Amino acid sequence: MNLKRKKLVLLLGVVALPFVLWYGVLTSVETRYAGNELLGWHSVLQPDPDEGTAGRSFFLEIISAKGLPKEICGQQFELLYQFPDRLKLFATIDGNEYQIGRLGDEIWLYAPDKGLNLVGTNDVPRFSSDPESLKSIDLPEFSLPIKRWQLHLLPALIEEKGDSLAFKEWARKMFDLPAAQITVPRYDIIHGASQIGVKTDDFAFNVTLGFHFSEAVAEKRALWNKPGASDTSAPLERVALSHLARFADVALSNLNSKIPTLGPATGSREVIASHGKGRLEDIDGTRVLFLKGTPEEMGEQHGTLLRDEVHDLVDRIVYGVGVGSSLDKGRWFFGEIEEAQNRLEPFISERYTREMDAIAAAAGLHPQEVRLSNFFPELFHCSGFALHGSATVDGKMYHGRVLDYLRGLGLEQNATVMIVQPDEGNAWANLGYAGFVGTVTAMNEKHIAIGEMGGRGEGNWDGTPMAQLMRDVMEQADTVDQAVEIMRNAKRTCEYYYVISDAKDGRAVGIKATPEIFETVWSGESHPQLADPVKDTVLLSAGGRYEELVKRVKAGFGKFDADSARELMTSPVCMTSNIQSVL
């Protein structure tokens, strides 16, 4: 599932988007149009129930969108609605039809081309392992945000500033209104296009919309019943309504999400908070979490000191990317990941389970939310290298790792360096994310470093999760040979590639691992998938990125230091989806 499609299917979940856009229109044009005309628009959008109208329908095209994800440009939607609780949204993306809607107290998703047909209700538990995990959602009746009588009050609250409109200062203070400027040019939004601009202290966007309203609803969509009732290729599946509602909230908040960027290192260091034996520091703008003690102690420190970040990661990854992926994969995310969990759990150390549950308890989350967040890498399948000996200017070991993953969908905002000192095993540094107890990039106190690349084999879940297996290496291995044996003897999942280095004796190894295959490539050795070996190096990547990495290493051979080794991880060795480069 490419990043473009991920953003598009997330956008589909925002069934409230047309209403948000209407809000901007209706709260902006009062000073520009006569009250009677504006009241007429209000009647078009929300007819008087006494009229007995079956509903309203309109066609919406997003012509341009500055400040919002570029993937939404050119997208077309058809919306059918009837106040107060009936709505259908139709869209076609990459040739696949999607329908999202609401009928009373139920929300449904229908993707016939994907074989997906879901209805969210309040009588389905959130998690299959916990029948008591019911959470009732009261869906509010929807209506336009402004009543007809309130339209007459808007001129007293709004003033023109050039081509923009804003709430008057006294109105903002009295009613706690946002300091927003809204731009709507003088144009007939009912029969043509309209450009809507919104600017606040937190965000800004401009959207050009094409509207076409129709009253021929009864003839076009005569039945309000849920779609796909007779579709045998997409049987109806009942899911928790709260999951779908949360997905809509997260998808909407992600539309204007910004990726943080670190500034230059200045040597600044500040202790933000402490709890028990743990503490949270800010070092040069990087969040650094120090954990120490038993699994329960470390989990409590983690969940307490990063409570907000753990909540945010669960929202973005489980309820945002996870649920959104259902629309592309054609399978309900929670059904799939809970199946993976059932097959992975027999191979998971009870110490890790205790730590995850302690995080959930301290952060105020259901244990399943934290556990499923940690199993996520097994569902969604980077470059790595180790340089040493004659390849470097000083003979030191330089181990680089690039993580090309889910850029822009929530991991970066919760990036955290963790210094982990367990009561059993080695201390180690984890380049990870809030709420995540496993690792994909790490180095321990014995000078063992490790990074991974995801391959194929999704669904081969009868083994130790990759992220836990890498943590096992960190806590149990003192040498690269011990690290190899831990991975060789493990019950493995899916297909992964690893680079492991040992700075003590200047050795490094690449590993290809599936449940059935375990192959090693030591420094300078060749492999059918790595056809151009270089002395005193392990170079892992794919396709043109591998060729570029080899080219760069040969060009700089014998001269690599920390700075030039870092340059190896720049584009095109790293992809535009890169969210982590570590040396």
Side-chain angles (χ1 to χ4, degrees):
M1 182 177 177
N2 60 43
L3 186 60
K4 175 182 177 182
R5 183 174 295 174
K6 285 180 188 295
K7 290 186 176 180
L8 290 177
V9 296
L10 282 175
L11 178 67
L12 272 176
V14 191
V15 295
L17 177 59
F19 292 97
V20 173
L21 298 174
W22 289 345
Y23 298 173
V25 173
L26 289 175
T27 57
S28 304
V29 298
E30 175 65 12
T31 60
R32 295 171 176 249
Y33 295 93
N36 289 338
E37 188 174 0
L38 186 58
L39 289 171
W41 293 350
H42 194 283
S43 296
V44 169
L45 294 173
Q46 183 172 345
D48 192 315
D50 294 335
E51 296 178 8
T53 307
R56 285 288 188 265
S57 167
F58 75 81
F59 176 84
L60 170 69
E61 179 183 7
I62 302 178
I63 300 172
S64 66
K66 182 179 180 180
L68 292 176
K70 62 182 180 180
E71 289 81 8
I72 74 172
C73 294
Q75 294 302 313
Q76 299 177 348
F77 304 89
E78 184 180 358
L79 184 70
L80 170 68
Y81 65 93
Q82 181 177 330
F83 295 99
D85 60 4
R86 294 183 177 187
L87 180 145
K88 286 186 177 182
L89 177 69
F90 305 84
T92 299
I93 295 177
D94 292 339
N96 297 311
E97 178 186 350
Y98 296 94
Q99 298 183 29
I100 300 177
R102 172 185 173 184
L103 183 60
D105 294 329
E106 297 180 341
I107 292 178
W108 46 260
L109 303 177
Y110 181 52
D113 300 313
K114 296 291 185 177
L116 185 72
N117 193 358
L118 307 174
V119 58
T121 66
N122 278 324
D123 58 355
V124 177
R126 291 185 295 156
F127 308 106
S128 60
S129 61
D130 182 5
E132 302 301 318
S133 60
L134 292 168
K135 183 176 181 179
S136 182
I137 298 293
D138 294 325
L139 296 176
E141 294 184 348
F142 54 80
S143 64
L144 294 180
I146 296 180
K147 306 299 182 184
R148 291 168 65 88
W149 65 267
Q150 292 174 321
L151 293 176
H152 298 287
L153 303 178
L154 282 179
L157 305 178
I158 292 177
E159 60 183 350
E160 294 193 32
K161 292 186 175 181
D163 292 333
S164 300
L165 300 165
F167 290 110
K168 294 180 179 179
E169 185 175 355
W170 70 265
R172 287 196 295 107
K173 293 180 179 179
M174 179 174 291
F175 300 109
D176 193 25
L177 298 172
Q181 292 189 26
I182 304 172
T183 304
V184 179
R186 298 175 185 272
Y187 203 80
D188 185 352
I189 69 167
I190 301 297
H191 301 100
S194 179
Q195 185 183 74
I196 300 172
V198 177
K199 180 180 180 181
T200 72
D201 292 338
D202 298 322
F203 66 92
F205 66 83
N206 286 278
V207 181
T208 303
L209 306 170
F211 291 90
H212 177 69
F213 287 85
S214 171
E215 295 190 18
V217 176
E219 294 78 4
K220 193 171 185 181
R221 307 288 182 189
L223 299 178
W224 278 107
N225 60 300
K226 293 181 288 295
S230 58
D231 189 348
T232 57
S233 64
L236 188 66
E237 182 178 357
R238 294 166 58 83
V239 301
L241 175 61
S242 63
H243 288 341
L244 295 181
R246 195 146 167 203
F247 162 64
D249 289 341
V250 172
L252 181 60
S253 66
N254 277 347
L255 284 178
N256 203 53
S257 180
K258 297 181 179 179
I259 299 174
T261 301
L262 290 177
T266 62
S268 66
R269 181 168 183 169
E270 176 187 3
V271 176
I272 300 173
S274 61
H275 182 82
K277 302 174 185 176
R279 70 184 185 277
L280 177 64
E281 294 191 11
D282 182 294
I283 301 179
D284 275 329
T286 296
R287 187 185 297 115
V288 182
L289 180 66
F290 293 81
L291 303 173
K292 185 175 183 178
T294 66
E296 289 82 2
E297 289 174 326
M298 292 194 299
E300 181 178 329
Q301 296 158 19
H302 193 153
T304 300
L305 295 171
L306 291 181
R307 178 186 175 91
D308 292 344
E309 290 80 4
V310 173
H311 274 264
D312 189 60
L313 183 116
V314 168
D315 277 346
R316 290 174 180 268
I317 299 303
V318 175
Y319 295 102
V321 180
V323 175
S325 72
S326 304
L327 291 166
D328 184 77
K329 300 175 75 174
R331 185 174 182 188
W332 178 231
F333 168 75
F334 278 92
E336 184 178 24
I337 198 168
E338 287 186 313
E339 176 191 340
Q341 177 188 26
N342 292 336
R343 293 167 59 184
L344 291 164
E345 280 197 327
F347 305 95
I348 296 174
S349 166
E350 54 89 22
R351 286 178 59 87
Y352 298 157
T353 301
R354 286 158 50 195
E355 186 173 343
M356 287 186 287
D357 290 352
I359 292 174
L365 292 166
H366 191 286
Q368 278 292 85
E369 292 178 306
V370 173
R371 292 189 187 189
L372 297 182
S373 298
N374 276 269
F375 298 146
F376 188 87
E378 293 292 320
L379 240 61
F380 293 83
H381 299 250
C382 326
S383 300
F385 63 82
L387 314 171
H388 58 94
S390 61
T392 68
V393 71
D394 49 16
K396 290 182 178 179
M397 173 72 70
Y398 294 104
H399 184 157
R401 186 273 197 280
V402 173
L403 179 59
D404 296 316
Y405 200 52
L406 296 171
R407 181 178 175 85
L409 294 178
L411 286 171
E412 302 96 321
Q413 289 85 348
N414 300 289
T416 306
V417 176
M418 302 180 198
I419 308 302
V420 185
Q421 296 176 273
D423 60 340
E424 297 179 12
N426 296 323
W428 56 290
N430 181 12
L431 281 294
Y433 302 91
F436 195 55
V437 303
T439 189
V440 294
T441 310
M443 179 170 65
N444 73 10
E445 63 176 315
K446 305 298 184 182
H447 305 274
I448 306 298
I450 188 169
E452 58 79 37
M453 294 172 52
R456 293 167 294 182
E458 180 182 332
N460 295 327
W461 295 318
D462 299 302
T464 303
M466 170 271 294
Q468 180 192 314
L469 183 56
M470 291 179 65
R471 177 169 176 168
D472 286 343
V473 168
M474 288 293 93
E475 295 186 349
Q476 300 172 22
D478 294 351
T479 67
V480 67
D481 295 304
Q482 291 177 357
V484 169
E485 290 309 304
I486 289 171
M487 305 199 79
R488 188 194 305 275
N489 296 328
K491 182 74 172 175
R492 300 178 300 275
T493 64
C494 304
E495 176 184 83
Y496 293 102
Y497 299 82
Y498 305 89
V499 175
I500 306 177
S501 63
D502 184 345
K504 294 189 303 300
D505 58 6
R507 299 172 65 213
V509 63
I511 296 174
K512 175 182 179 180
T514 73
E516 300 82 19
I517 298 172
F518 189 85
E519 299 175 350
T520 59
V521 180
W522 293 87
S523 296
E525 292 184 348
S526 63
H527 184 275
Q529 291 177 259
L530 303 171
D532 201 358
V534 180
K535 179 185 177 182
D536 285 347
T537 71
V538 174
L539 308 176
L540 259 64
S541 193
R545 289 181 291 144
Y546 172 71
E547 295 173 1
E548 178 64 22
L549 180 59
V550 171
K551 177 182 175 181
R552 292 180 179 184
V553 169
K554 286 183 175 180
F557 191 86
K559 297 176 286 186
F560 283 106
D561 57 13
D563 290 334
S564 54
R566 273 192 290 270
E567 287 300 310
L568 291 176
M569 296 185 282
T570 58
S571 179
V573 173
C574 76
M575 301 170 65
T576 56
S577 59
N578 177 39
I579 63 172
Q580 184 189 93
S581 296
V582 180
L583 183 69

